[in-house]
C-alpha cells in the first residue's frame, strides 16, 4: 500500500533541512579601546588584557569544534583568531574584506576629539547606516564588501551543516563595526533598523544560524548577541 513518501525519492532528499552555525567574534582589547580612541583600519596591537581575552575566548569556542576559522588581516583580529586556531588545530584563513570600517579623518582620534570637532556627528553615524565619517565608509559600504565572505564560505564548504559534525560552526574573527554590519545585512534588516544592534564587548561574539533545505541558500536567524567567555 502506497501513500507515504519513498525514502529514496529525490524530491524528499532535496527537502532535508540544513542548519549552518556562523559565529562572528570581535577581537580582544587594544590600548586604543582602553583609551576610547577610534581605530578603524589602523593596525593596532592587542593589549595584555586583550591577549588574555583572546585566550579565554579560544578556550570557550574550541569546545564547539569549529569547521573553519577566517579572520580580518588586521593584527588585533588575526592574533585573536590565531589563539582559536592554535587551540583547535583548525587552519586560519585571512581575508581583508573582514577589516574594520575605514573611519577616514576620525582614525586615531578619541571620542572627545571627534565630538569637539563635529558635535553630534557620532550620534548621526550610529543612527544612520548610510552615513559615513569624513573620508570614510558607512556601515552599508562595509556590509557590501564583507557580507560576500559568507557566500564564499558556502561555496568552499559544501558540507557545512551536514556530515559527521553538523553543529560545528564557522568562526569569523573581525571587528565590532564589521560584525554589526554583516549581521544586519544577513538578517535582511531594513537599513533604518540597523542601529538596533548594539555594541560588542572585546571578544564578544554573535551566533547566527542559516536555515535552508539542502541545496538552497540559507535564511539567517540571530541566536546570540554579545556572548563572552567571562567566567570560563
Amino acid at each position: 500500500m502506497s501513500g507515504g513518501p519513498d525514502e529514496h525519492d529525490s524530491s524528499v532528499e532535496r527537502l532535508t533541512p540544513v542548519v549552518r552555525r556562523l559565529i562572528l567574534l570581535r577581537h580582544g582589547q587594544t590600548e586604543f579601546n582602553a583609551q576610547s580612541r577610534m581605530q578603524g583600519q589602523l593596525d593596532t596591537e592587542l593589549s595584555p588584557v586583550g591577549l588574555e581575552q583572546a585566550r579565554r575566548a579560544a578556550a570557550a569556542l574550541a569546545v564547539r569544534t569549529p569547521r573553519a576559522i577566517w579572520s580580518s588581516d588586521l593584527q588585533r583580529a588575526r592574533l585573536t583568531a590565531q589563539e582559536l586556531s592554535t587551540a583547535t588545530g583548525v587552519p586560519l584563513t585571512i581575508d581583508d574584506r573582514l577589516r574594520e570600517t575605514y573611519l577616514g579623518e576620525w582614525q586615531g582620534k578619541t571620542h572627545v576629539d571627534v565630538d569637539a570637532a563635529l558635535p553630534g556627528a557620532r550620534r548621526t553615524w550610529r543612527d544612520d547606516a548610510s552615513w559615513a565619517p569624513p573620508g570614510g565608509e558607512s556601515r552599508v559600504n562595509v556590509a557590501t564588501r564583507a557580507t560576500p565572505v559568507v557566500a564564499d564560505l558556502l561555496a568552499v564548504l559544501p558540507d557545512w551543516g551536514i556530515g559527521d559534525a553538523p553543529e560545528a560552526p564557522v568562526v569569523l574573527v573581525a571587528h565590532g563595526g564589521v560584525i554589526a554590519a554583516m549581521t544586519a545585512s544577513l538578517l535582511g534588516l531594513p537599513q533604518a533598523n540597523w542601529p538596533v544592534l548594539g555594541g560588542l564587548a572585546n571578544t564578544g561574539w554573535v551566533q547566527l544560524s542559516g536555515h535552508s533545505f539542502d541545496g538552497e541558500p540559507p535564511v539567517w536567524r540571530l541566536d546570540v548577541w554579545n556572548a563572552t567567555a567571562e567566567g570560563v
Side-chain angles (χ1 to χ4, degrees):
M1 181 176 178
S2 61
D6 185 338
E7 63 179 358
H8 299 296
D9 186 346
S10 62
S11 65
V12 174
E13 293 175 3
R14 285 197 299 272
L15 295 179
T16 302
V18 178
V19 181
R20 299 172 176 89
R21 311 296 182 187
L22 176 66
I23 291 175
L24 308 174
L25 172 67
R26 189 186 178 205
H27 61 81
Q29 184 201 71
T30 67
E31 294 298 342
F32 272 47
N33 292 143
Q35 298 166 7
S36 295
R37 191 175 295 275
M38 307 186 80
Q39 298 170 105
Q41 293 187 2
L42 297 177
D43 200 10
T44 54
E45 300 178 359
L46 292 178
S47 68
V49 169
L51 184 56
E52 179 59 26
Q53 289 173 331
R55 290 169 177 162
R56 291 169 65 117
L61 293 175
V63 299
R64 303 284 301 276
T65 60
R67 176 69 180 79
I69 305 168
W70 286 30
S71 174
S72 160
D73 62 331
L74 297 178
Q75 64 176 320
R76 58 190 185 270
R78 177 169 46 81
L79 294 177
T80 301
Q82 187 60 56
E83 291 294 330
L84 181 58
S85 177
T86 299
T88 60
V90 176
L92 179 58
T93 298
I94 303 298
D95 195 314
D96 63 10
R97 291 174 294 177
L98 295 173
R99 282 186 177 186
E100 180 58 298
T101 310
Y102 180 61
L103 295 178
E105 295 177 11
W106 289 3
Q107 295 197 155
K109 295 182 177 180
T110 67
H111 295 175
V112 172
D113 293 335
V114 173
D115 291 345
L118 291 171
R122 286 198 306 121
R123 179 172 181 177
T124 300
W125 178 50
R126 287 193 302 268
D127 292 346
D128 183 353
S130 66
W131 194 90
E137 292 180 293
S138 70
R139 270 171 291 171
V140 173
N141 297 148
V142 172
T144 298
R145 69 165 160 85
T147 305
V149 169
V150 178
D152 290 351
L153 284 162
L154 291 167
V156 301
L157 298 172
D159 59 344
W160 183 11
I162 60 177
D164 294 334
E167 293 291 324
V170 168
V171 179
L172 303 183
V173 185
H175 311 265
V178 176
I179 292 171
M182 290 181 69
T183 300
S185 177
L186 289 169
L187 293 176
L189 296 181
Q191 286 183 18
N193 293 343
W194 285 25
V196 302
L197 298 172
L200 287 173
N202 287 117
T203 59
W205 66 82
V206 175
Q207 180 177 299
L208 300 170
S209 291
H211 295 255
S212 67
F213 292 117
D214 193 14
E216 296 180 351
V219 175
W220 294 96
R221 302 175 188 171
L222 179 63
D223 298 331
V224 174
W225 181 265
N226 203 22
T228 69
E230 291 304 314
V232 174

